[in-house]
């Protein structure tokens, strides 16, 4: 049986680090409020002129080096992003050119903060169906470009960055002992789209707009839906929460991460948490966290890993994989 296994991982963070205190220079807020409500201490912001594809290309090169592969070894490039360089073409084609790839196909996936989980699931489908052997899956965002800097309830929460993994077809036995993606679970519900959205877009305002969020509503949906999706993906994969070695959740808010882990009965020492240093980087947050966790020695070959995310749409889901 064909499995899609992660063979390389990498990330990139822009140079500029912004501590919570910076926001107090123009907003009625405090380091204490931001830290206690979200767990965020700092985030990175892209430099002027630095685009989502720039961040993605850095992360992709790091993942390729980690896997020992060249750009032309890749069949497909997928970029999960809600902050593309341009309305079109896809940021993924800009990345393809930037890597010097002369073959394959590239496209974007837009599922906001759930984008990387959606991309992993779709890359898995391409590999299992034999349409691709190696897929470069990138989450990359420049959310600093869509902040309303007068809205203290949102602009303190987000950051810029990129993470990438290389998924490759390998042979498995069809059991939970296999390396690679073991199960996926995706959902969306457009009835909730107004609690987390951007105020503009091509066919409505011909502008990119600013992020708006009903924080309490998002929080409530997040804990409930992430826990349900995680339970379902474990069941689909034929494993239990006790079997899990590592959880790599979307890094939006440490309180959402903590409450969801409690609901699942998973101890926090199994949960990868990077939100303090990165803020919420939307579709980039999971591959960024995976790359940092691997570098720290917290993700090892053979570890059973579950990853979950929710974002605008609402769109959410979970992926079970053996590292
Ligand atoms: N600094 C100081 N005070 C603030 C700030 C700020 N940056 N932002 C809001 N406040 C004030 C509010 O105005 C309010 O004041 P009031 O009582 O006088 O009206 C007070 O703090 C409490 O505000 P709440 O909205 O009740 O604060 P809450 O405890 O709900 O925390 C937060 C807000 C952090 C946004 C929380 O609702 C949350 O984490 N929601 C989840 C949203 C999230 O993380 N989304 C990320 C995108 S989606 C995703 O990735 C899952």
């Amino acid at each position: 049986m064909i499995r899609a296994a992660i063979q390389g991982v990498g990330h990139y963070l822009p140079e500029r680090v912004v501590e919570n205190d910076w926001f107090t220079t123009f907003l009625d807020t405090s380091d204490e409020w931001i830290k206690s409500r979200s767990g965020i201490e700092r985030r990175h912001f892209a430099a002027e002129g630095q685009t989502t594809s720039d961040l993605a290309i850095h992360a992709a090169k790091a993942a390729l080096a980690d896997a020992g592969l060249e750009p032309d070894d890749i069949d497909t490039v997928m970029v999960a992003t809600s902050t593309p360089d341009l309305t079109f073409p896809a940021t993924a084609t800009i990345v393809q050119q930037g890597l010097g790839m002369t073959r394959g196909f590239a496209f974007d996936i837009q599922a906001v903060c759930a984008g990387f989980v959606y991309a992993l699931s779709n890359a898995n489908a391409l590999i299992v169906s034999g349409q691709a052997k190696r897929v470069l899956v990138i989450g990359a965002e420049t959310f600093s470009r869509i902040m309303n800097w007068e809205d203290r309830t949102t602009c303190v929460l987000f950051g810029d960055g990129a993470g990438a993994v290389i998924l490759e077809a390998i042979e498995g036995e069809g059991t939970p002992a296999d390396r690679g993606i073991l199960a996926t679970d995706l959902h969306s519900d457009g009835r909730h789209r107004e609690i987390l959205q951007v105020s503009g877009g091509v066919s409505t305002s011909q502008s990119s707009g600013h992020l708006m969020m009903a924080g309490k509503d998002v929080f409530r949906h997040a804990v409930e839906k992430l826990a349900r999706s995680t339970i379902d993906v474990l069941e689909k994969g034929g494993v239990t929460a006790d079997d899990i070695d590592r959880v790599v959740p979307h890094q939006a808010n440490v309180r959402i991460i903590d409450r969801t882990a409690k609901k699942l009965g998973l101890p926090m020492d199994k949960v990868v948490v990077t939100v303090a240093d990165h803020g919420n980087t939307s579709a980039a947050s999971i591959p960024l966290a995976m790359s940092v966790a691997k570098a720290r020695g917290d993700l090892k070959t053979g570890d059973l890993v579950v990853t979950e995310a929710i974002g605008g749409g609402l769109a959410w889901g979970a992926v079970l994989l053996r590292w």
Side-chain angles (χ1 to χ4, degrees):
M1 170 174 186
I2 298 174
R3 294 286 199 191
I6 293 183
Q7 306 289 53
V9 61
H11 73 272
Y12 176 77
L13 289 158
E15 267 173 40
R16 184 178 169 211
V17 179
V18 173
E19 302 286 339
N20 286 346
D21 275 340
W22 177 75
F23 292 93
T24 65
T25 62
F26 61 96
L27 283 175
D28 180 13
T29 187
S30 65
D31 173 46
E32 200 282 326
W33 193 96
I34 300 168
K35 234 179 344 202
S36 65
R37 303 294 171 120
S38 70
I40 297 165
E41 295 176 30
R42 60 193 65 82
R43 73 288 292 140
H44 293 244
F45 284 151
E48 211 183 315
Q50 199 175 24
T51 60
T52 294
S53 68
D54 292 331
L55 275 46
I57 290 165
H58 280 293
K61 285 182 177 167
L64 283 165
D66 191 43
L69 294 171
E70 298 297 325
D72 275 345
D73 295 327
I74 300 298
D75 300 313
T76 308
V77 181
M78 262 184 219
V79 176
T81 188
S82 310
T83 46
D85 288 19
L86 298 166
T87 300
F88 75 76
T91 300
T93 59
I94 303 171
V95 171
Q96 188 187 26
Q97 183 210 8
L99 291 174
M101 278 175 70
T102 56
R103 59 179 296 277
F105 61 96
F107 60 98
D108 290 356
I109 288 215
Q110 214 278 42
V112 201
C113 299
F116 187 75
V117 164
Y118 268 61
L120 269 190
S121 180
N122 279 282
N124 180 55
L126 285 179
I127 288 176
V128 168
S129 65
Q131 293 177 76
K133 279 205 163 54
R134 294 195 190 103
V135 184
L136 170 58
V137 184
I138 305 168
E141 302 280 14
T142 46
F143 259 52
S144 61
R145 310 288 195 236
I146 53 167
M147 289 299 110
N148 171 358
W149 298 106
E150 289 172 6
D151 178 7
R152 65 178 183 169
T153 69
T154 54
C155 72
V156 300
L157 301 174
F158 293 88
D160 301 337
V165 301
I166 302 211
L167 279 183
E168 185 175 44
I170 61 164
E171 277 299 323
E173 303 293 326
T175 74
D178 289 347
R179 283 192 64 230
I181 293 179
L182 301 172
T184 70
D185 185 64
L186 299 183
H187 302 272
S188 66
D189 187 343
R191 288 174 301 175
H192 304 301
R193 69 186 170 83
E194 283 176 6
I195 65 172
L196 180 52
Q197 65 179 358
V198 166
S199 59
V202 177
S203 75
T204 49
S205 65
Q206 296 80 56
S207 69
S208 50
H210 293 114
L211 185 143
M212 305 184 307
M213 176 172 71
K216 276 193 199 306
D217 292 335
V218 173
F219 196 104
R220 190 171 45 79
H221 281 288
V223 174
E224 176 208 312
K225 289 179 166 51
L226 291 174
R228 181 74 258 160
S229 189
T230 305
I231 290 166
D232 289 348
V233 87
L234 299 185
E235 198 180 315
K236 285 184 193 177
V239 303
T240 68
D242 287 344
D243 299 321
I244 294 297
D245 297 303
R246 209 52 79 185
V247 186
V248 188
H250 169 47
Q251 308 287 318
N253 183 313
V254 80
R255 288 159 59 219
I256 295 177
I257 294 173
D258 190 52
R259 293 254 188 104
T260 308
K262 279 205 177 77
K263 248 181 176 281
L264 295 165
L266 283 160
M268 280 303 281
D269 61 5
K270 287 190 175 182
V271 183
V272 174
V273 183
T274 56
V275 69
D277 295 328
H278 302 162
N280 182 349
T281 57
S282 192
S285 94
I286 290 173
L288 246 168
M290 284 177 167
S291 181
V292 168
K294 189 188 169 197
R296 284 180 188 160
D298 288 343
L299 273 176
K300 298 185 200 68
T301 303
D303 279 352
L304 189 63
V305 178
V306 69
T307 181
E308 31 88 339
I310 186 165
L314 292 175
W316 69 100
V319 173
L320 176 72
L321 62 98
R322 195 171 291 282
W323 193 262

